[in-house]
Amino acid sequence: MTEQTQTTGEAHGLALVVADRGFVWVGKVITTPDWVEIEGARPVRRWGTKEGLGQLAKEGPLPDTRLDAAADLKVSRKALIAIIPCEAEKWAA
């Protein structure tokens, strides 16, 4: 479930963000009417799954998953394809 933030954004917690042109990040997500803000965004270079992004969100990074260094970023809301909630405890390692 989501909750309202004080900046009138909607907090989604830890999630995978899929944007156009094939970009995928994992991080703490807040959406506003114009932006998708991702705190601690780690680009997902290789999913490393047999069952796609849903498996990655549910099970966390697998042995063949490749993540790049984290950074805070904003993605235009126009580029947003999907937000997939993650099982945060699986990503805690």
Side-chain angles (χ1 to χ4, degrees):
M1 288 288 162
T2 60
E3 59 188 53
Q4 289 295 111
T5 67
Q6 293 179 357
T7 61
T8 68
E10 188 174 353
H12 299 270
L14 187 71
L16 290 166
V17 174
V18 182
D20 65 3
R21 301 179 193 263
F23 289 99
V24 179
W25 297 274
V26 63
K28 292 182 181 178
V29 178
I30 297 173
T31 54
T32 67
D34 295 323
W35 298 100
V36 178
E37 300 177 14
I38 313 168
E39 180 182 324
R42 297 193 67 189
V44 181
R45 183 185 302 254
R46 183 180 307 148
W47 301 355
T49 66
K50 293 186 187 291
E51 299 176 19
L53 288 175
Q55 179 185 4
L56 187 60
K58 182 178 178 183
E59 297 179 16
L62 301 170
D64 289 334
T65 301
R66 297 293 176 259
L67 303 172
D68 289 339
D72 295 340
L73 65 94
K74 290 169 66 171
V75 177
S76 171
R77 186 75 182 247
K78 294 176 184 177
L80 179 64
I81 304 295
I83 296 174
I84 306 169
C86 290
E87 296 288 335
E89 61 276 359
K90 300 290 185 169
W91 286 87

